[in-house]
Amino acid sequence: MTFQRIVAGVLLLLVAALAGAFYMNWKTLGQLRTVKAFVEGYVFAEAVAACERAPSTTPFKWNTGTRTAVVGLNSVRPDKYTVIANYTLVADGVYCDYDPIKKKADIGSNFLERD
């Protein structure tokens, strides 16, 4: 009888711990989405201006484009200590990667091979 109570108590604690972990994960992910949306909104105007000024043989026309889309804020970790962020925009099939740290835009580039 004592063994059954101990097992039931351990199971109850396990269920409570899992529920608490899932709740904290849900709250943290909600806050992360909010921060990401704020950063994307902050970077958007800079990205559009930099992409339209970037020298390229294929011009990037965000304001006069017929099909425009925001791919979003992404990051790549090429090694253990470096994180490279980029904000990608697409206008009429022309991709523009904007680096919010360096404030530099590259049109039609491959983000993974960028300096």
Side-chain angles (χ1 to χ4, degrees):
M1 188 68 145
T2 305
F3 178 74
Q4 290 175 343
R5 287 183 182 168
I6 291 172
V7 170
V10 168
L11 283 175
L12 185 63
L13 285 174
L14 182 65
V15 168
L18 282 174
F22 282 117
Y23 175 75
M24 293 301 292
N25 188 33
W26 175 70
K27 292 293 278 185
T28 303
L29 287 177
Q31 290 175 346
L32 183 62
R33 281 190 302 269
T34 302
V35 169
K36 185 177 178 187
F38 176 77
V39 169
E40 285 182 349
Y42 181 76
V43 172
F44 176 74
E46 289 180 0
V48 169
C51 286
E52 287 187 342
R53 285 192 315 262
S56 175
T57 56
T58 55
F60 186 83
K61 303 286 186 186
W62 180 265
N63 293 322
T64 59
T66 56
R67 291 184 8 231
T68 58
V70 175
V71 175
L73 187 65
N74 303 301
S75 64
V76 174
R77 182 171 227 150
D79 61 29
K80 185 177 176 182
Y81 302 106
T82 308
V83 175
I84 301 173
N86 83 321
Y87 190 75
T88 305
L89 301 170
V90 182
D92 294 333
V94 178
Y95 285 81
C96 179
D97 291 329
Y98 174 70
D99 186 347
I101 307 297
K102 295 180 182 176
K103 307 252 185 231
K104 180 184 172 198
D106 292 322
I107 295 177
S109 65
N110 183 352
F111 174 68
L112 296 175
E113 295 175 1
R114 195 166 60 184
D115 293 338

